[in-house]
Amino acid sequence: MHINPLDISSPATELNFSGKNVLIVDDYMEMRSILRDMLSSCGAEMKKIHMATNGNEAIAWLKKVPFDIVLCDLILGSGKNGQQVLEEAKYQSLVGPSCLWLMITAEKTMEAVTGTAEYQPDAYLLKPVTEASLRSRLAKIWTKKEAFAEIYKAMKQQDYSKAMFLCDQRLASDKAHTADLLRTKCDLLLVSGEYDRAKQVLEDILAVRDLPWAKAALAKILLKKNDLDAAKHLLEETTEANPAYLEAQDLLAHTLQVMGDLEEAGNVLERTVKLSPNSVTRQKNLGQVAMKLGKLEDAERAFRKSVSLGENSVLRTADAYLGLAKACSANKNAEQALKVLGQLNKNFAADEVRTKALAVEGLIHHQSGNTEKAKQIAEELGQSISNDSIHPDSDGALEIARLLLTTGDKEKAIQLLQSEIKNNPESATLLRDVAEIFDQAGMGEEGSRLIETSRQEAMLIMNRGVLLISKGQYEEAVSAMRDAYSAMPANIRVLLNLAYVIITYMQKKGPTPELVEEARHSLQAANELSPGEPRFVRLSAALNELTTLR
């Protein structure tokens, strides 16, 4: 992001607004009119300028029109603020990298600037806005947008190979944008799952220049390769030299959590929320870490802040409400905890959220001494699982297992936990959470044996199909992965391996509509569980190629 609002030194440039749609978002009519007139004076077509008076109107316009330029005030009165409009626009892919987003603000505080900087508008413009400052800022950003136009077009089409080729082509002659082009190329390599190539490019960059973003990107690759110590060292070095680099701070906290160092992860998150306290997600993460550390008042404060910040945000999650309810209950305030669950049920209608909330309600009743009500809820949930009438997500399954163990149904709880391990046998965080549940139930040694047995079974089943396909046993490979899918329907690697063996089978034997549909369904299920996995991108491309050739 380029934060230099007083820099208007660039020479006046003729702006080509031909065919470009512009959105102005401001709650003051006078300001909207001033900006519209300035844009018109800069060359924008009046009929292409649209205006929104608040965040909801802005989102509605963004859903209807592909805007090239957005001028958005940071403070928009009640409802969504400018930061929340930008985060929702990006979250819902309503704007792409080719859209020029200027955030306009009178706020100069560090809190306001760092908060909005996390969602990366192209630039800020400090009030009072003049035509000269607006023209200069638009021209400066426009030059880069035009240089990257073809690359952005390929990215929008998810043709990452072409986008990387265009980056390389431009790198040969465009010295002014070398840093941005290299960064874009590295991002594309990461999205495509080409970690070794990305690592080489990043190491070459760092051999010449010490760039924080390159170190953070390299740390992501090290994390993917499970080299946790190296990732931690790199991130500590980066954040020590650049304490305001929030993405690196969050990545360091995540790395420490994966390593099981919750105390230090909590310290990193505490430091980061002091720099930028208005992140819904970071406050929720801080609450979860504080809860595990037994810092109940800190947990309640962080969850409450996340719930409050999320009121108008697309990043609002049920987990923040559930965390707040559990923190209130642990702080001996069952009445408040149940009230929070009531708010949760009003705001989230998904079945899996309701199921998780019911399990937490059972635990709250048990903690407050109402064991009869807790047992009644546990029996209801246990029956629903036996009937296969509910399908909790991973967190929900853990909450239900915790309640079942608390109320005495050990057999169902173990079945549920074993199922979760088989669906996520490579998640160190989940395995630690399951071990903690067993420990709290006084089943430490037995729990450890169950975890290891379930994990090893899952690993064998997961890889069997891929092994068979490497031996040329195509039918057997597809059959083995279908069996694995039946046993572990929420295992991401199983879903991707199933798609892989089907696609490989079709490459050898020819595609059929049924197999194409089965592979596509498996890929979609994997992407819903873990969006953006590089293998999903590669396998989807291979499947599309097969169907195109038909």
Side-chain angles (χ1 to χ4, degrees):
M1 202 194 89
H2 311 286
I3 305 174
N4 189 7
L6 298 178
D7 177 13
I8 55 172
S9 58
S10 300
T13 302
E14 282 304 314
L15 300 170
N16 179 10
F17 277 92
S18 178
K20 288 191 165 47
N21 291 304
V22 184
L23 178 63
I24 297 170
V25 189
D26 199 299
D27 54 333
Y28 285 100
M29 184 177 68
E30 187 180 351
M31 193 62 197
R32 292 195 300 274
S33 299
I34 290 170
L35 290 171
R36 182 194 57 195
D37 292 345
M38 284 183 187
L39 286 165
S40 175
S41 179
C42 289
E45 300 172 58
M46 289 294 271
K47 65 180 180 182
K48 293 278 187 181
I49 300 175
H50 305 275
M51 295 194 281
T53 62
N54 57 50
N56 286 335
E57 275 186 27
I59 294 297
W61 271 116
L62 288 162
K63 286 179 177 175
K64 282 192 292 189
V65 178
F67 286 100
D68 303 286
I69 300 167
V70 178
L71 306 185
C72 183
D73 196 70
L74 182 60
I75 306 300
L76 295 173
S78 59
K80 298 180 197 300
N81 59 31
Q83 174 185 329
Q84 291 167 332
V85 174
L86 175 57
E87 71 189 18
E88 184 162 345
K90 292 202 169 191
Y91 184 83
Q92 295 195 37
S93 300
L94 303 177
V95 295
S98 61
C99 176
L100 190 164
W101 192 295
L102 267 184
M103 195 67 80
I104 298 173
T105 179
E107 291 277 338
K108 299 178 185 177
T109 62
M110 176 64 79
E111 184 177 310
V113 171
T114 54
T116 306
E118 293 198 60
Y119 298 97
Q120 300 182 343
D122 287 293
Y124 280 99
L125 204 53
L126 274 181
K127 293 180 180 177
V129 179
T130 66
E131 184 180 325
S133 64
L134 178 60
R135 180 187 289 273
S136 172
R137 189 52 52 89
L138 287 174
K140 192 172 183 178
I141 303 167
W142 211 303
T143 303
K144 180 189 167 187
K145 297 285 182 186
E146 288 186 343
F148 280 69
E150 290 302 312
I151 297 170
Y152 291 154
K153 188 177 173 185
M155 288 167 66
K156 188 176 181 182
Q157 294 166 344
Q158 297 190 332
D159 190 344
Y160 301 128
S161 297
K162 183 178 179 183
M164 281 187 269
F165 169 77
L166 292 168
C167 280
D168 285 335
Q169 197 177 50
R170 198 158 187 104
L171 274 165
S173 58
D174 188 349
K175 302 303 177 192
H177 296 107
T178 297
D180 287 328
L181 285 163
L182 284 170
R183 187 168 186 172
T184 302
K185 181 180 175 179
C186 288
D187 288 344
L188 289 164
L189 286 167
L190 286 172
V191 170
S192 306
E194 296 192 52
Y195 299 135
D196 290 335
R197 277 185 67 196
K199 185 168 180 280
Q200 186 60 58
V201 173
L202 289 163
E203 287 173 347
D204 289 346
I205 292 169
L206 289 168
V208 177
R209 196 174 168 194
D210 189 26
L211 293 171
W213 69 261
K215 285 185 170 179
L218 188 54
K220 283 182 192 173
I221 295 172
L222 294 167
L223 262 173
K224 289 282 184 186
K225 290 177 174 289
N226 211 29
D227 191 349
L228 301 180
D229 286 329
K232 178 190 164 196
H233 174 73
L234 197 57
L235 289 165
E236 284 176 338
E237 190 179 283
T238 306
T239 53
E240 189 176 338
N242 308 275
Y245 188 12
L246 303 178
E247 184 183 352
Q249 296 280 13
D250 286 334
L251 200 54
L252 175 58
H254 172 72
T255 305
L256 291 162
Q257 283 180 263
V258 175
M259 296 174 81
D261 189 351
L262 293 180
E263 192 72 46
E264 191 51 32
N267 291 337
V268 173
L269 286 168
E270 285 281 7
R271 284 200 304 269
T272 313
V273 296
K274 283 179 184 168
L275 289 168
S276 182
N278 294 330
S279 164
V280 177
T281 303
R282 186 174 301 117
Q283 290 285 359
K284 181 203 70 180
N285 291 344
L286 176 59
Q288 288 172 334
V289 171
M291 195 76 185
K292 287 181 179 178
L293 289 169
K295 297 179 178 178
L296 303 179
E297 289 184 4
D298 291 348
E300 182 175 337
R301 184 166 50 248
F303 281 130
R304 200 174 288 285
K305 180 81 174 176
S306 180
V307 167
S308 169
L309 289 170
E311 188 178 352
N312 296 302
S313 170
V314 72
L315 300 179
R316 178 177 71 173
T317 65
D319 287 342
Y321 285 82
L322 289 166
L324 178 57
K326 288 195 287 186
C328 290
S329 178
N331 283 323
K332 313 287 185 195
N333 192 345
E335 185 181 350
Q336 180 64 25
L338 293 172
K339 190 175 172 184
V340 172
L341 288 184
Q343 292 169 348
L344 168 72
N345 286 324
K346 281 183 188 172
N347 290 320
F348 297 88
D351 288 344
E352 62 186 35
V353 172
R354 297 293 175 89
T355 298
K356 200 159 29 178
L358 192 56
V360 171
E361 183 186 337
L363 288 164
I364 292 168
H365 286 303
H366 191 273
Q367 277 183 321
S368 65
N370 190 349
T371 53
E372 189 176 336
K373 182 67 177 174
K375 195 170 178 60
Q376 178 194 330
I377 292 174
E379 287 173 354
E380 183 184 334
L381 287 169
Q383 190 64 38
S384 297
I385 286 173
S386 298
N387 295 339
D388 203 27
S389 58
I390 59 171
H391 302 93
D393 62 13
S394 185
D395 288 341
L398 296 194
E399 296 294 359
I400 294 170
R402 203 187 302 272
L403 176 63
L404 291 169
L405 280 173
T406 302
T407 54
D409 193 341
K410 182 177 169 182
E411 185 181 348
K412 274 202 181 77
I414 290 174
Q415 285 174 2
L416 202 52
L417 291 173
Q418 285 181 309
S419 173
E420 275 315 296
I421 295 165
K422 287 178 180 176
N423 279 323
N424 303 279
E426 297 169 290
S427 169
T429 303
L430 178 114
L431 297 180
R432 267 197 300 274
D433 287 345
V434 173
E436 183 196 345
I437 292 172
F438 279 131
D439 277 342
Q440 288 174 350
M443 298 171 59
E445 287 187 18
E446 183 184 359
S448 296
R449 285 195 300 276
L450 287 166
I451 290 170
E452 188 53 25
T453 304
S454 304
R455 195 186 67 79
Q456 287 185 7
E457 282 178 16
M459 297 299 285
L460 282 173
I461 296 170
M462 278 194 312
N463 295 321
R464 186 157 178 264
V466 178
L467 184 64
L468 287 166
I469 211 124
S470 70
K471 295 177 179 175
Q473 296 174 255
Y474 299 103
E475 287 87 355
E476 292 85 348
V478 173
S479 177
M481 288 317 303
R482 282 174 177 155
D483 290 344
Y485 172 65
S486 295
M488 300 180 285
N491 183 312
I492 295 162
R493 201 201 285 188
V494 165
L495 290 163
L496 292 172
N497 283 356
L498 175 57
Y500 167 72
V501 296
I502 293 172
I503 290 167
T504 308
Y505 177 91
M506 290 191 290
Q507 286 169 338
K508 289 286 179 185
K509 309 284 185 180
T512 67
E514 293 77 16
L515 285 173
V516 168
E517 180 55 32
E518 188 177 357
R520 203 175 296 288
H521 171 78
S522 192
L523 285 172
Q524 286 170 349
N527 197 45
E528 283 174 14
L529 287 168
S530 180
E533 285 281 328
R535 280 189 78 199
F536 167 80
V537 175
R538 291 201 300 273
L539 290 168
S540 294
L543 183 60
N544 289 338
E545 189 177 341
L546 264 176
T547 53
T548 304
L549 292 174
R550 289 177 64 195

